[in-house]
Amino acid sequence: MEIRRTRYNEPAAVRLNDLVQMEYVERYGDGDATPMAADNFDPPHGLYLVAYDADDRPVASGGWRAQEASDEGHEDGDAEIKRMFVVKEARGRGLARAILAELEASAAAAGRTRMVLETGSRQPEAIALYESCGYVPVKKFGYYRHEELSICMGKSLAAVPQP
């Protein structure tokens, strides 16, 4: 496996985003409508990663974007995780955990103080991953903060090793 930095609007990232949107439709009945733009993930205010398998196929993705205190519930210094996804046939190989570790390290190196994410109660695999990586429930934030199925989690970046 190789993890590469990319832009959110590059073809491999777009393809994986399309697949995660289809999975959201399966689990929730609709895709994620959170507003996002490719430049949200441009360093030093973000990062987008795609993992490739041995045959150079894109199989996993994830990114973070800087957030500051807002009416949507973010806090100064937040790094918000978006579009963490692993294709079904590549799950269980540690790809999400590897991407998450790289996202955390790069966000800490960029001076972010807290990593946050929003997931949903119909994604127990994601919740289990984040809990196993030290994420805990935080005050709801973001586009879906008023939705019952929304779960928001966070983790301090103070002790995260930087690259």
Side-chain angles (χ1 to χ4, degrees):
M1 174 198 55
E2 179 186 359
I3 298 175
R4 301 178 198 160
R5 293 175 180 222
T6 190
R7 291 204 78 224
Y8 179 65
N9 60 354
E10 290 295 322
V14 170
R15 173 71 179 134
L16 290 168
N17 183 62
D18 291 346
L19 292 173
V20 75
Q21 292 291 345
M22 290 185 338
E23 187 153 329
Y24 293 151
V25 170
E26 289 174 21
R27 293 185 188 225
Y28 299 101
D30 202 358
D32 183 354
T34 303
M36 292 192 303
D39 65 355
N40 291 164
F41 301 96
D42 289 348
H45 304 290
L47 178 68
Y48 207 81
L49 302 172
V50 171
Y52 293 81
D53 67 11
D55 296 320
D56 205 37
R57 291 180 301 222
V59 293
S61 65
W64 70 266
R65 61 184 182 170
Q67 296 284 7
E68 302 302 340
S70 72
D71 291 340
E72 287 193 349
H74 291 101
E75 296 180 7
D76 286 343
D78 279 354
E80 182 185 17
I81 297 172
K82 296 303 294 179
R83 297 301 185 260
M84 286 288 293
F85 179 69
V86 179
V87 298
K88 290 179 182 177
E89 59 272 16
R91 292 179 184 167
R93 299 181 191 167
L95 295 172
R97 193 172 299 275
I99 287 174
L100 184 59
E102 192 165 331
L103 293 175
E104 290 174 350
S106 69
R112 300 281 93 192
T113 57
R114 182 176 79 146
M115 193 69 103
V116 295
L117 63 98
E118 182 181 28
T119 188
S121 59
R122 294 183 181 159
Q123 293 170 264
E125 311 90 341
I127 295 165
L129 167 71
Y130 296 127
E131 287 176 341
S132 74
C133 292
Y135 286 76
V136 297
V138 297
K139 181 181 173 188
K140 285 188 172 186
F141 64 87
Y143 188 82
Y144 292 102
R145 67 190 176 282
H146 301 298
E147 298 295 324
E148 183 180 334
L149 298 176
S150 173
I151 295 173
C152 292
M153 303 177 83
K155 176 181 177 178
S156 170
L157 292 174
V160 171
Q162 296 181 27

